[in-house]
Amino acid sequence: MTTALPRPDRQPLHHRSRLRDTKAAAYWLDRPEHPEPLPRLTADTTCDLAVVGGGYTGLWTALLAKRAHPERDVLVLEQSTCGHAASGRNGGFCSPSITHGLANGVDRWPAEAGLLHRLGMENFDAFQRDLDTHGIDCGFVRSGKVTVAATPWQAEGLDGAHALAHRYGERTRLLDREELRRYVDSPLWTKGLWSPDYALLDPARLVWGLRAACLGLGVRIAENTEVTALAGRQPGRVRLTTPYAAVGARQVALATNVYRPLLKRLSLSMIPVYDYALTTEPLSDGQLASIGWGGDHGITDAGNQFHYLRKTDDNRILFGGYDAVYHYGNRVEERLTQRPATFDTLAAQFAEAFPALADVRFSHSWGGVIDSTTRFCMFAGTAAQGRIAYALGFTGLGVGATRYGARVMLDLLAGERTERLRPAMIRRPPVPFPPEPVRYLGVEATRWSMAREDVNGHRNVWLRTLDRLGLGFDS
């Protein structure tokens, strides 16, 4: 959020008219190249490794496991179709960080921040190499990202982020208003921070590419196959129950994002937070020139309730963020991926940011659910005497980090003491969220306080208390 962007109660009605013909579907998934669903599992089977979840984390796990040991029988069980949830609905921003940004890693694990930063950059490079190795054409480009500021306190925040980046060898450059106009020209934004080591990609083509690579190596994938229960008491095997068949697996990797945890210990570790986005109709070169956006870089703003913007291959602008909505009782339902009030707000805010494009119509509107933790980044662990591993909680910045989570799970299942397992972020779980109704009240108080900080630049007592306790809420 920025102070110049309108609140929902200030929206002019004409912004809603630009949403009149908008398709209620994720832009990335609404394409003819969407692969046909694979058959569900209908007969009992066994395998060496069962992977629960067919998003990025699960598919990376299956791919890396099968590549390392081609003789291993790997089975992926996906409750819907691969990439249906967060992996096919995100903005396609691929960060090198495994800690939800350098600052979050430094704040939470200062003694290990250098190690975490290096591990993140190594994973980022390996991510790109693996795409090349397996011929996954997902439009991955290290096009960089600009973070923009609209208020004096946001500009000060960019100064701090720039200094911190250089302390850890991360390349950034501050942009004054004139320099910023070479990347994007908006009346709202007065300063920017250029980060060249950042990538953009097509989220759906990534998940479809990983799926195809897995199948090419001999991984078995069953779609529309929900795992409803785990039982790890049988010697040497974990039993997975599905509606139509059972699986006996020597090892299990859980990559279930925010969906109902199959281990009771994980029930308070994450909350589902809904995030929303719009895409415009395809824009002409002249329209893009009118806002000074000639490059392929992504853009985020520096507010707590931040926005993310990027161009697609066919010259649409994806505009998302701002609202991060938690529903009482950890509700996760498909109907919650549509929220007209948020789409109205985003349309109005887009017009404020780009007056020259105020009459542009929107083609797609959608939402997705994020697995948010109290420390904003992934966690991992094991159960059933090391036969079950999990990696969850990527908190909306996990496109690149999911590969790291996959490697961590495979290390844990192999019983190997690798450098990836050294950091405290892997060895120690996040502080759990409280039960309801305290959880809902706490999230709402935090959202309200973050919005107030965006308006006045002051971090109130509630937020400072959360800072001292190492707790938070983010998307």
Side-chain angles (χ1 to χ4, degrees):
M1 175 182 172
T2 60
T3 54
L5 294 177
R7 297 186 303 272
D9 59 353
R10 292 170 51 201
Q11 310 172 81
L13 183 61
H14 72 269
H15 294 308
R16 294 180 184 142
S17 69
R18 295 160 59 210
L19 293 162
R20 186 174 299 134
D21 299 319
T22 300
K23 191 169 185 178
Y27 164 73
W28 308 111
L29 298 172
D30 184 35
R31 285 181 286 184
E33 60 266 38
H34 195 303
E36 289 296 315
L38 293 164
R40 61 168 46 97
L41 189 70
T42 56
D44 291 357
T45 189
T46 61
C47 62
D48 296 319
L49 174 64
V51 179
V52 184
Y56 295 148
T57 309
L59 292 173
W60 275 119
T61 303
L63 179 66
L64 297 173
K66 190 70 173 178
R67 190 174 73 187
H69 300 283
E71 75 286 354
R72 184 183 293 179
D73 182 15
V74 180
L75 171 63
V76 175
L77 301 166
E78 163 55 41
Q79 68 172 352
S80 179
T81 56
C82 292
H84 168 76
S87 295
R89 297 170 184 251
N90 63 85
F93 285 72
C94 187
S95 168
S97 176
I98 58 174
T99 60
H100 202 83
L102 177 60
N104 190 53
V106 172
D107 286 346
R108 296 180 187 281
W109 303 285
E112 296 179 329
L115 170 64
L116 291 166
H117 180 261
R118 176 172 62 79
L119 290 172
M121 291 304 301
E122 290 173 357
N123 177 70
F124 191 56
D125 291 336
F127 185 107
Q128 185 173 14
R129 287 197 303 271
D130 284 346
L131 296 181
D132 293 338
T133 296
H134 294 283
I136 298 174
D137 179 13
C138 61
F140 181 96
V141 180
R142 292 198 184 200
S143 51
K145 182 190 74 166
V146 179
T147 307
V148 294
T151 63
W153 47 90
Q154 289 178 7
E156 289 176 12
L158 296 187
D159 291 339
H162 175 64
L164 183 65
H166 280 249
R167 193 184 314 161
Y168 287 90
E170 191 172 294
R171 297 185 299 160
T172 57
R173 184 164 63 87
L174 287 168
L175 309 172
D176 63 24
R177 185 159 198 156
E178 285 306 307
E179 291 176 300
L180 177 59
R181 291 179 67 185
R182 299 173 198 157
Y183 292 86
V184 64
D185 188 2
S186 167
L188 297 183
W189 302 320
T190 60
K191 191 170 187 175
L193 181 67
W194 168 243
S195 303
D197 294 321
Y198 216 97
L200 294 177
L201 51 77
D202 182 314
R205 281 164 52 197
L206 172 59
V207 79
W208 297 337
L210 289 170
R211 177 184 184 268
C214 285
L215 292 171
L217 291 180
V219 172
R220 292 188 287 155
I221 300 177
E223 295 185 320
N224 293 305
T225 303
E226 180 182 7
V227 176
T228 56
L230 286 178
R233 296 175 184 173
Q234 182 181 351
R237 291 281 177 183
V238 177
R239 179 181 173 85
L240 299 89
T241 303
T242 78
Y244 307 100
V247 178
R250 207 165 53 80
Q251 295 179 319
V252 174
L254 296 180
T256 51
N257 198 348
V258 297
Y259 292 96
R260 188 177 65 84
L262 294 166
L263 296 174
K264 187 176 180 180
R265 71 179 67 176
L266 302 177
S267 59
L268 297 179
S269 297
M270 301 171 293
I271 60 172
V273 178
Y274 280 83
D275 177 65
Y276 297 91
L278 300 171
T279 48
T280 68
E281 61 192 358
L283 303 181
S284 68
D285 291 342
Q287 286 174 307
L288 290 171
S290 73
I291 60 170
W293 198 345
D296 293 326
H297 52 275
I299 300 170
T300 60
D301 66 38
N304 289 320
Q305 292 181 279
F306 65 93
H307 299 83
Y308 51 89
L309 306 73
R310 49 94 41 102
K311 293 188 292 188
T312 65
D313 288 346
D314 57 354
N315 274 0
R316 301 169 197 265
I317 292 178
L318 184 153
F319 188 78
Y322 179 72
D323 270 342
V325 182
Y326 170 71
H327 296 277
Y328 187 91
N330 278 21
R331 284 168 56 206
V332 176
E333 301 173 17
E334 183 63 24
R335 68 183 185 85
L336 299 178
T337 62
Q338 289 294 314
R339 194 166 191 263
T342 293
F343 300 140
D344 290 346
T345 299
L346 288 173
Q349 292 172 339
F350 182 89
E352 284 278 316
F354 301 120
L357 303 179
D359 294 327
V360 167
R361 292 185 175 273
F362 296 96
S363 64
H364 293 76
S365 61
W366 74 95
V369 63
I370 294 166
D371 51 344
S372 189
T373 73
T374 55
R375 67 187 189 194
F376 307 157
C377 60
M378 65 160 285
F379 65 97
T382 61
Q385 293 79 50
R387 287 177 289 163
I388 300 173
Y390 51 85
L392 305 161
F394 294 93
T395 316
L397 205 63
V399 172
T402 53
R403 183 191 177 279
Y404 186 84
R407 294 299 304 269
V408 165
M409 282 198 287
L410 293 174
D411 290 347
L412 291 170
L413 291 171
E416 297 178 357
R417 294 191 173 186
T418 66
E419 189 177 40
R420 284 182 290 270
L421 304 184
R422 275 178 46 198
M425 73 172 279
I426 301 301
R427 293 183 289 104
R428 299 172 191 161
V431 175
F433 286 96
E436 299 289 18
V438 177
R439 181 190 312 155
Y440 180 80
L441 295 174
V443 168
E444 289 302 296
T446 304
R447 289 184 66 210
W448 182 86
S449 298
M450 290 167 64
R452 294 304 302 162
E453 184 184 13
D454 282 336
V455 171
N456 59 34
H458 298 299
R459 204 154 177 83
N460 65 16
V461 173
W462 175 255
L463 292 179
R464 294 198 303 271
T465 300
L466 294 180
D467 291 341
R468 286 193 295 271
L469 295 174
L471 305 176
F473 161 79
D474 195 24
S475 63

